[in-house]
PDB file of all heavy atoms in Angstrom:
ATOM      1  N   LEU M   1      -0.058  -2.486  -6.132  1.00  0.00           N
ATOM      2  CA  LEU M   1       0.281  -3.893  -6.323  1.00  0.00           C
ATOM      3  C   LEU M   1       0.379  -4.610  -4.974  1.00  0.00           C
ATOM      4  O   LEU M   1      -0.180  -5.703  -4.788  1.00  0.00           O
ATOM      5  CB  LEU M   1       1.611  -3.996  -7.075  1.00  0.00           C
ATOM      6  CG  LEU M   1       2.224  -5.384  -7.221  1.00  0.00           C
ATOM      7  CD1 LEU M   1       1.389  -6.251  -8.143  1.00  0.00           C
ATOM      8  CD2 LEU M   1       3.656  -5.270  -7.736  1.00  0.00           C
ATOM      9  N   ILE M   2       1.066  -3.998  -4.022  1.00  0.00           N
ATOM     10  CA  ILE M   2       1.219  -4.602  -2.690  1.00  0.00           C
ATOM     11  C   ILE M   2      -0.127  -4.645  -1.965  1.00  0.00           C
ATOM     12  O   ILE M   2      -0.466  -5.644  -1.314  1.00  0.00           O
ATOM     13  CB  ILE M   2       2.299  -3.854  -1.889  1.00  0.00           C
ATOM     14  CG1 ILE M   2       3.663  -4.057  -2.570  1.00  0.00           C
ATOM     15  CG2 ILE M   2       2.327  -4.317  -0.431  1.00  0.00           C
ATOM     16  CD1 ILE M   2       4.761  -3.162  -2.040  1.00  0.00           C
ATOM     17  N   TYR M   3      -0.917  -3.588  -2.094  1.00  0.00           N
ATOM     18  CA  TYR M   3      -2.259  -3.570  -1.504  1.00  0.00           C
ATOM     19  C   TYR M   3      -3.084  -4.745  -2.049  1.00  0.00           C
ATOM     20  O   TYR M   3      -3.703  -5.501  -1.280  1.00  0.00           O
ATOM     21  CB  TYR M   3      -2.959  -2.247  -1.812  1.00  0.00           C
ATOM     22  CG  TYR M   3      -4.388  -2.217  -1.350  1.00  0.00           C
ATOM     23  CD1 TYR M   3      -4.719  -1.715  -0.094  1.00  0.00           C
ATOM     24  CD2 TYR M   3      -5.415  -2.728  -2.142  1.00  0.00           C
ATOM     25  CE1 TYR M   3      -6.035  -1.711   0.345  1.00  0.00           C
ATOM     26  CE2 TYR M   3      -6.728  -2.733  -1.712  1.00  0.00           C
ATOM     27  CZ  TYR M   3      -7.032  -2.227  -0.472  1.00  0.00           C
ATOM     28  OH  TYR M   3      -8.333  -2.238  -0.032  1.00  0.00           O
ATOM     29  N   ASP M   4      -3.096  -4.898  -3.370  1.00  0.00           N
ATOM     30  CA  ASP M   4      -3.884  -5.965  -3.988  1.00  0.00           C
ATOM     31  C   ASP M   4      -3.431  -7.346  -3.513  1.00  0.00           C
ATOM     32  O   ASP M   4      -4.259  -8.229  -3.280  1.00  0.00           O
ATOM     33  CB  ASP M   4      -3.794  -5.882  -5.508  1.00  0.00           C
ATOM     34  CG  ASP M   4      -4.551  -4.683  -6.084  1.00  0.00           C
ATOM     35  OD1 ASP M   4      -5.376  -4.076  -5.379  1.00  0.00           O
ATOM     36  OD2 ASP M   4      -4.282  -4.367  -7.264  1.00  0.00           O
ATOM     37  N   GLN M   5      -2.136  -7.529  -3.346  1.00  0.00           N
ATOM     38  CA  GLN M   5      -1.633  -8.822  -2.862  1.00  0.00           C
ATOM     39  C   GLN M   5      -2.061  -9.045  -1.412  1.00  0.00           C
ATOM     40  O   GLN M   5      -2.448 -10.155  -1.038  1.00  0.00           O
ATOM     41  CB  GLN M   5      -0.114  -8.912  -2.990  1.00  0.00           C
ATOM     42  CG  GLN M   5       0.454 -10.231  -2.543  1.00  0.00           C
ATOM     43  CD  GLN M   5      -0.079 -11.432  -3.318  1.00  0.00           C
ATOM     44  OE1 GLN M   5      -0.425 -11.330  -4.489  1.00  0.00           O
ATOM     45  NE2 GLN M   5      -0.151 -12.570  -2.670  1.00  0.00           N
ATOM     46  N   ALA M   6      -2.021  -8.008  -0.588  1.00  0.00           N
ATOM     47  CA  ALA M   6      -2.476  -8.133   0.799  1.00  0.00           C
ATOM     48  C   ALA M   6      -3.950  -8.549   0.850  1.00  0.00           C
ATOM     49  O   ALA M   6      -4.339  -9.393   1.664  1.00  0.00           O
ATOM     50  CB  ALA M   6      -2.255  -6.832   1.552  1.00  0.00           C
ATOM     51  N   ARG M   7      -4.758  -7.983  -0.037  1.00  0.00           N
ATOM     52  CA  ARG M   7      -6.180  -8.366  -0.098  1.00  0.00           C
ATOM     53  C   ARG M   7      -6.321  -9.832  -0.510  1.00  0.00           C
ATOM     54  O   ARG M   7      -7.142 -10.559   0.051  1.00  0.00           O
ATOM     55  CB  ARG M   7      -6.946  -7.475  -1.081  1.00  0.00           C
ATOM     56  CG  ARG M   7      -7.042  -6.026  -0.675  1.00  0.00           C
ATOM     57  CD  ARG M   7      -7.910  -5.788   0.497  1.00  0.00           C
ATOM     58  NE  ARG M   7      -9.300  -6.043   0.161  1.00  0.00           N
ATOM     59  CZ  ARG M   7     -10.288  -6.019   1.031  1.00  0.00           C
ATOM     60  NH1 ARG M   7     -10.053  -5.734   2.284  1.00  0.00           N
ATOM     61  NH2 ARG M   7     -11.514  -6.266   0.642  1.00  0.00           N
ATOM     62  N   ARG M   8      -5.524 -10.273  -1.499  1.00  0.00           N
ATOM     63  CA  ARG M   8      -5.585 -11.675  -1.920  1.00  0.00           C
ATOM     64  C   ARG M   8      -5.213 -12.610  -0.766  1.00  0.00           C
ATOM     65  O   ARG M   8      -5.696 -13.736  -0.694  1.00  0.00           O
ATOM     66  CB  ARG M   8      -4.664 -11.926  -3.112  1.00  0.00           C
ATOM     67  CG  ARG M   8      -5.252 -11.483  -4.438  1.00  0.00           C
ATOM     68  CD  ARG M   8      -4.444 -11.976  -5.620  1.00  0.00           C
ATOM     69  NE  ARG M   8      -3.210 -11.256  -5.826  1.00  0.00           N
ATOM     70  CZ  ARG M   8      -3.102 -10.057  -6.409  1.00  0.00           C
ATOM     71  NH1 ARG M   8      -4.170  -9.420  -6.832  1.00  0.00           N
ATOM     72  NH2 ARG M   8      -1.932  -9.494  -6.556  1.00  0.00           N
ATOM     73  N   LEU M   9      -4.348 -12.129   0.112  1.00  0.00           N
ATOM     74  CA  LEU M   9      -3.935 -12.919   1.268  1.00  0.00           C
ATOM     75  C   LEU M   9      -4.933 -12.812   2.425  1.00  0.00           C
ATOM     76  O   LEU M   9      -4.682 -13.312   3.513  1.00  0.00           O
ATOM     77  CB  LEU M   9      -2.540 -12.479   1.724  1.00  0.00           C
ATOM     78  CG  LEU M   9      -1.411 -12.807   0.746  1.00  0.00           C
ATOM     79  CD1 LEU M   9      -0.122 -12.083   1.151  1.00  0.00           C
ATOM     80  CD2 LEU M   9      -1.195 -14.313   0.676  1.00  0.00           C
ATOM     81  N   LYS M  10      -6.039 -12.134   2.178  1.00  0.00           N
ATOM     82  CA  LYS M  10      -7.129 -11.986   3.166  1.00  0.00           C
ATOM     83  C   LYS M  10      -6.735 -11.132   4.368  1.00  0.00           C
ATOM     84  O   LYS M  10      -7.305 -11.267   5.448  1.00  0.00           O
ATOM     85  CB  LYS M  10      -7.639 -13.346   3.638  1.00  0.00           C
ATOM     86  CG  LYS M  10      -8.015 -14.305   2.532  1.00  0.00           C
ATOM     87  CD  LYS M  10      -9.315 -13.936   1.894  1.00  0.00           C
ATOM     88  CE  LYS M  10      -9.822 -15.057   1.016  1.00  0.00           C
ATOM     89  NZ  LYS M  10      -9.978 -14.715  -0.365  1.00  0.00           N
ATOM     90  N   LEU M  11      -5.761 -10.256   4.191  1.00  0.00           N
ATOM     91  CA  LEU M  11      -5.406  -9.326   5.259  1.00  0.00           C
ATOM     92  C   LEU M  11      -6.361  -8.138   5.206  1.00  0.00           C
ATOM     93  O   LEU M  11      -6.723  -7.686   4.122  1.00  0.00           O
ATOM     94  CB  LEU M  11      -3.959  -8.847   5.094  1.00  0.00           C
ATOM     95  CG  LEU M  11      -2.886  -9.916   5.263  1.00  0.00           C
ATOM     96  CD1 LEU M  11      -1.517  -9.374   4.850  1.00  0.00           C
ATOM     97  CD2 LEU M  11      -2.854 -10.411   6.698  1.00  0.00           C
ATOM     98  N   PRO M  12      -6.765  -7.598   6.358  1.00  0.00           N
ATOM     99  CA  PRO M  12      -7.696  -6.464   6.375  1.00  0.00           C
ATOM    100  C   PRO M  12      -6.987  -5.129   6.095  1.00  0.00           C
ATOM    101  O   PRO M  12      -7.044  -4.182   6.871  1.00  0.00           O
ATOM    102  CB  PRO M  12      -8.285  -6.518   7.786  1.00  0.00           C
ATOM    103  CG  PRO M  12      -7.184  -7.096   8.626  1.00  0.00           C
ATOM    104  CD  PRO M  12      -6.486  -8.092   7.718  1.00  0.00           C
ATOM    105  N   VAL M  13      -6.330  -5.062   4.945  1.00  0.00           N
ATOM    106  CA  VAL M  13      -5.522  -3.904   4.580  1.00  0.00           C
ATOM    107  C   VAL M  13      -6.429  -2.734   4.196  1.00  0.00           C
ATOM    108  O   VAL M  13      -7.458  -2.923   3.548  1.00  0.00           O
ATOM    109  CB  VAL M  13      -4.546  -4.259   3.429  1.00  0.00           C
ATOM    110  CG1 VAL M  13      -5.284  -4.719   2.195  1.00  0.00           C
ATOM    111  CG2 VAL M  13      -3.614  -3.112   3.106  1.00  0.00           C
ATOM    112  N   VAL M  14      -6.053  -1.537   4.635  1.00  0.00           N
ATOM    113  CA  VAL M  14      -6.790  -0.330   4.249  1.00  0.00           C
ATOM    114  C   VAL M  14      -5.940   0.599   3.391  1.00  0.00           C
ATOM    115  O   VAL M  14      -6.481   1.391   2.621  1.00  0.00           O
ATOM    116  CB  VAL M  14      -7.350   0.437   5.463  1.00  0.00           C
ATOM    117  CG1 VAL M  14      -8.424  -0.392   6.158  1.00  0.00           C
ATOM    118  CG2 VAL M  14      -6.265   0.853   6.421  1.00  0.00           C
ATOM    119  N   GLU M  15      -4.616   0.522   3.539  1.00  0.00           N
ATOM    120  CA  GLU M  15      -3.755   1.336   2.691  1.00  0.00           C
ATOM    121  C   GLU M  15      -2.332   0.810   2.725  1.00  0.00           C
ATOM    122  O   GLU M  15      -1.926   0.137   3.669  1.00  0.00           O
ATOM    123  CB  GLU M  15      -3.776   2.815   3.083  1.00  0.00           C
ATOM    124  CG  GLU M  15      -3.061   3.140   4.362  1.00  0.00           C
ATOM    125  CD  GLU M  15      -3.073   4.631   4.677  1.00  0.00           C
ATOM    126  OE1 GLU M  15      -4.104   5.296   4.434  1.00  0.00           O
ATOM    127  OE2 GLU M  15      -2.056   5.122   5.175  1.00  0.00           O
ATOM    128  N   VAL M  16      -1.616   1.134   1.651  1.00  0.00           N
ATOM    129  CA  VAL M  16      -0.193   0.818   1.561  1.00  0.00           C
ATOM    130  C   VAL M  16       0.517   2.075   1.086  1.00  0.00           C
ATOM    131  O   VAL M  16       0.104   2.699   0.103  1.00  0.00           O
ATOM    132  CB  VAL M  16       0.081  -0.344   0.581  1.00  0.00           C
ATOM    133  CG1 VAL M  16       1.585  -0.516   0.363  1.00  0.00           C
ATOM    134  CG2 VAL M  16      -0.530  -1.640   1.093  1.00  0.00           C
ATOM    135  N   THR M  17       1.574   2.435   1.793  1.00  0.00           N
ATOM    136  CA  THR M  17       2.432   3.538   1.381  1.00  0.00           C
ATOM    137  C   THR M  17       3.768   2.954   0.973  1.00  0.00           C
ATOM    138  O   THR M  17       4.347   2.149   1.703  1.00  0.00           O
ATOM    139  CB  THR M  17       2.634   4.557   2.521  1.00  0.00           C
ATOM    140  OG1 THR M  17       1.360   5.101   2.870  1.00  0.00           O
ATOM    141  CG2 THR M  17       3.574   5.674   2.112  1.00  0.00           C
ATOM    142  N   LEU M  18       4.236   3.344  -0.202  1.00  0.00           N
ATOM    143  CA  LEU M  18       5.553   2.932  -0.650  1.00  0.00           C
ATOM    144  C   LEU M  18       6.482   4.130  -0.565  1.00  0.00           C
ATOM    145  O   LEU M  18       6.265   5.143  -1.234  1.00  0.00           O
ATOM    146  CB  LEU M  18       5.539   2.403  -2.086  1.00  0.00           C
ATOM    147  CG  LEU M  18       6.939   1.983  -2.543  1.00  0.00           C
ATOM    148  CD1 LEU M  18       7.334   0.675  -1.890  1.00  0.00           C
ATOM    149  CD2 LEU M  18       7.048   1.910  -4.037  1.00  0.00           C
ATOM    150  N   TRP M  19       7.494   4.009   0.287  1.00  0.00           N
ATOM    151  CA  TRP M  19       8.547   5.015   0.375  1.00  0.00           C
ATOM    152  C   TRP M  19       9.615   4.627  -0.629  1.00  0.00           C
ATOM    153  O   TRP M  19      10.285   3.611  -0.475  1.00  0.00           O
ATOM    154  CB  TRP M  19       9.127   5.078   1.793  1.00  0.00           C
ATOM    155  CG  TRP M  19       8.175   5.736   2.734  1.00  0.00           C
ATOM    156  CD1 TRP M  19       7.197   5.142   3.468  1.00  0.00           C
ATOM    157  CD2 TRP M  19       8.102   7.130   3.003  1.00  0.00           C
ATOM    158  NE1 TRP M  19       6.517   6.083   4.183  1.00  0.00           N
ATOM    159  CE2 TRP M  19       7.049   7.323   3.920  1.00  0.00           C
ATOM    160  CE3 TRP M  19       8.817   8.242   2.550  1.00  0.00           C
ATOM    161  CZ2 TRP M  19       6.696   8.570   4.397  1.00  0.00           C
ATOM    162  CZ3 TRP M  19       8.472   9.490   3.022  1.00  0.00           C
ATOM    163  CH2 TRP M  19       7.421   9.654   3.948  1.00  0.00           C
ATOM    164  N   GLU M  20       9.725   5.428  -1.691  1.00  0.00           N
ATOM    165  CA  GLU M  20      10.707   5.162  -2.733  1.00  0.00           C
ATOM    166  C   GLU M  20      12.083   5.670  -2.305  1.00  0.00           C
ATOM    167  O   GLU M  20      13.106   5.080  -2.644  1.00  0.00           O
ATOM    168  CB  GLU M  20      10.261   5.844  -4.027  1.00  0.00           C
ATOM    169  CG  GLU M  20      11.029   5.407  -5.229  1.00  0.00           C
ATOM    170  CD  GLU M  20      10.418   5.916  -6.508  1.00  0.00           C
ATOM    171  OE1 GLU M  20      10.625   7.095  -6.837  1.00  0.00           O
ATOM    172  OE2 GLU M  20       9.732   5.122  -7.179  1.00  0.00           O
ATOM    173  N   THR M  21      12.083   6.761  -1.572  1.00  0.00           N
ATOM    174  CA  THR M  21      13.292   7.312  -0.962  1.00  0.00           C
ATOM    175  C   THR M  21      12.911   7.741   0.449  1.00  0.00           C
ATOM    176  O   THR M  21      11.744   7.654   0.837  1.00  0.00           O
ATOM    177  CB  THR M  21      13.844   8.538  -1.744  1.00  0.00           C
ATOM    178  OG1 THR M  21      12.934   9.631  -1.581  1.00  0.00           O
ATOM    179  CG2 THR M  21      14.035   8.216  -3.224  1.00  0.00           C
ATOM    180  N   ARG M  22      13.876   8.258   1.198  1.00  0.00           N
ATOM    181  CA  ARG M  22      13.570   8.720   2.563  1.00  0.00           C
ATOM    182  C   ARG M  22      12.579   9.882   2.564  1.00  0.00           C
ATOM    183  O   ARG M  22      11.914  10.129   3.552  1.00  0.00           O
ATOM    184  CB  ARG M  22      14.844   9.180   3.258  1.00  0.00           C
ATOM    185  CG  ARG M  22      15.768   8.081   3.652  1.00  0.00           C
ATOM    186  CD  ARG M  22      16.943   8.634   4.431  1.00  0.00           C
ATOM    187  NE  ARG M  22      16.904  10.100   4.420  1.00  0.00           N
ATOM    188  CZ  ARG M  22      17.925  10.896   4.630  1.00  0.00           C
ATOM    189  NH1 ARG M  22      19.082  10.392   4.885  1.00  0.00           N
ATOM    190  NH2 ARG M  22      17.804  12.199   4.593  1.00  0.00           N
ATOM    191  N   ARG M  23      12.485  10.602   1.472  1.00  0.00           N
ATOM    192  CA  ARG M  23      11.646  11.801   1.435  1.00  0.00           C
ATOM    193  C   ARG M  23      10.448  11.705   0.485  1.00  0.00           C
ATOM    194  O   ARG M  23       9.657  12.638   0.415  1.00  0.00           O
ATOM    195  CB  ARG M  23      12.496  13.005   1.034  1.00  0.00           C
ATOM    196  CG  ARG M  23      13.533  13.358   2.065  1.00  0.00           C
ATOM    197  CD  ARG M  23      14.256  14.646   1.708  1.00  0.00           C
ATOM    198  NE  ARG M  23      15.196  15.001   2.750  1.00  0.00           N
ATOM    199  CZ  ARG M  23      16.462  14.654   2.748  1.00  0.00           C
ATOM    200  NH1 ARG M  23      16.955  13.940   1.762  1.00  0.00           N
ATOM    201  NH2 ARG M  23      17.256  15.022   3.734  1.00  0.00           N
ATOM    202  N   SER M  24      10.332  10.622  -0.261  1.00  0.00           N
ATOM    203  CA  SER M  24       9.282  10.538  -1.279  1.00  0.00           C
ATOM    204  C   SER M  24       8.492   9.251  -1.133  1.00  0.00           C
ATOM    205  O   SER M  24       9.062   8.155  -1.133  1.00  0.00           O
ATOM    206  CB  SER M  24       9.907  10.575  -2.680  1.00  0.00           C
ATOM    207  OG  SER M  24      10.644  11.756  -2.854  1.00  0.00           O
ATOM    208  N   SER M  25       7.178   9.413  -1.044  1.00  0.00           N
ATOM    209  CA  SER M  25       6.307   8.246  -0.912  1.00  0.00           C
ATOM    210  C   SER M  25       5.024   8.442  -1.699  1.00  0.00           C
ATOM    211  O   SER M  25       4.660   9.556  -2.066  1.00  0.00           O
ATOM    212  CB  SER M  25       5.966   7.989   0.562  1.00  0.00           C
ATOM    213  OG  SER M  25       5.117   9.014   1.058  1.00  0.00           O
ATOM    214  N   ALA M  26       4.353   7.326  -1.946  1.00  0.00           N
ATOM    215  CA  ALA M  26       3.037   7.323  -2.588  1.00  0.00           C
ATOM    216  C   ALA M  26       2.173   6.341  -1.815  1.00  0.00           C
ATOM    217  O   ALA M  26       2.647   5.287  -1.383  1.00  0.00           O
ATOM    218  CB  ALA M  26       3.146   6.905  -4.048  1.00  0.00           C
ATOM    219  N   THR M  27       0.906   6.684  -1.651  1.00  0.00           N
ATOM    220  CA  THR M  27      -0.021   5.844  -0.906  1.00  0.00           C
ATOM    221  C   THR M  27      -1.165   5.409  -1.799  1.00  0.00           C
ATOM    222  O   THR M  27      -1.692   6.205  -2.572  1.00  0.00           O
ATOM    223  CB  THR M  27      -0.581   6.610   0.309  1.00  0.00           C
ATOM    224  OG1 THR M  27       0.508   6.954   1.175  1.00  0.00           O
ATOM    225  CG2 THR M  27      -1.600   5.782   1.084  1.00  0.00           C
ATOM    226  N   TYR M  28      -1.534   4.142  -1.679  1.00  0.00           N
ATOM    227  CA  TYR M  28      -2.753   3.644  -2.322  1.00  0.00           C
ATOM    228  C   TYR M  28      -3.736   3.254  -1.239  1.00  0.00           C
ATOM    229  O   TYR M  28      -3.433   2.476  -0.329  1.00  0.00           O
ATOM    230  CB  TYR M  28      -2.472   2.428  -3.218  1.00  0.00           C
ATOM    231  CG  TYR M  28      -3.752   1.929  -3.823  1.00  0.00           C
ATOM    232  CD1 TYR M  28      -4.355   2.627  -4.869  1.00  0.00           C
ATOM    233  CD2 TYR M  28      -4.395   0.803  -3.332  1.00  0.00           C
ATOM    234  CE1 TYR M  28      -5.562   2.205  -5.404  1.00  0.00           C
ATOM    235  CE2 TYR M  28      -5.598   0.372  -3.866  1.00  0.00           C
ATOM    236  CZ  TYR M  28      -6.179   1.080  -4.897  1.00  0.00           C
ATOM    237  OH  TYR M  28      -7.373   0.674  -5.424  1.00  0.00           O
ATOM    238  N   ARG M  29      -4.905   3.840  -1.336  1.00  0.00           N
ATOM    239  CA  ARG M  29      -6.033   3.525  -0.438  1.00  0.00           C
ATOM    240  C   ARG M  29      -7.292   3.616  -1.305  1.00  0.00           C
ATOM    241  O   ARG M  29      -7.588   4.690  -1.831  1.00  0.00           O
ATOM    242  CB  ARG M  29      -6.099   4.537   0.700  1.00  0.00           C
ATOM    243  CG  ARG M  29      -7.250   4.323   1.651  1.00  0.00           C
ATOM    244  CD  ARG M  29      -7.288   5.366   2.771  1.00  0.00           C
ATOM    245  NE  ARG M  29      -7.272   6.724   2.259  1.00  0.00           N
ATOM    246  CZ  ARG M  29      -6.316   7.632   2.547  1.00  0.00           C
ATOM    247  NH1 ARG M  29      -5.316   7.322   3.330  1.00  0.00           N
ATOM    248  NH2 ARG M  29      -6.371   8.826   2.023  1.00  0.00           N
ATOM    249  N   PRO M  30      -8.004   2.511  -1.504  1.00  0.00           N
ATOM    250  CA  PRO M  30      -9.183   2.566  -2.376  1.00  0.00           C
ATOM    251  C   PRO M  30     -10.274   3.437  -1.754  1.00  0.00           C
ATOM    252  O   PRO M  30     -10.365   3.567  -0.529  1.00  0.00           O
ATOM    253  CB  PRO M  30      -9.624   1.119  -2.484  1.00  0.00           C
ATOM    254  CG  PRO M  30      -9.089   0.470  -1.258  1.00  0.00           C
ATOM    255  CD  PRO M  30      -7.817   1.204  -0.906  1.00  0.00           C
ATOM    256  N   VAL M  31     -11.089   4.013  -2.625  1.00  0.00           N
ATOM    257  CA  VAL M  31     -12.187   4.857  -2.154  1.00  0.00           C
ATOM    258  C   VAL M  31     -13.207   4.014  -1.399  1.00  0.00           C
ATOM    259  O   VAL M  31     -13.609   4.351  -0.297  1.00  0.00           O
ATOM    260  CB  VAL M  31     -12.839   5.593  -3.349  1.00  0.00           C
ATOM    261  CG1 VAL M  31     -14.045   6.388  -2.880  1.00  0.00           C
ATOM    262  CG2 VAL M  31     -11.835   6.484  -4.034  1.00  0.00           C
TER     263      VAL M  31
END
């Protein structure tokens, strides 16, 4: 969701990592 919004804002985003806790994260990076 954050990646898609960054793209809509015309930022040259390549990936977004969401840290849900200090030890757990998920990354979205399109192929």
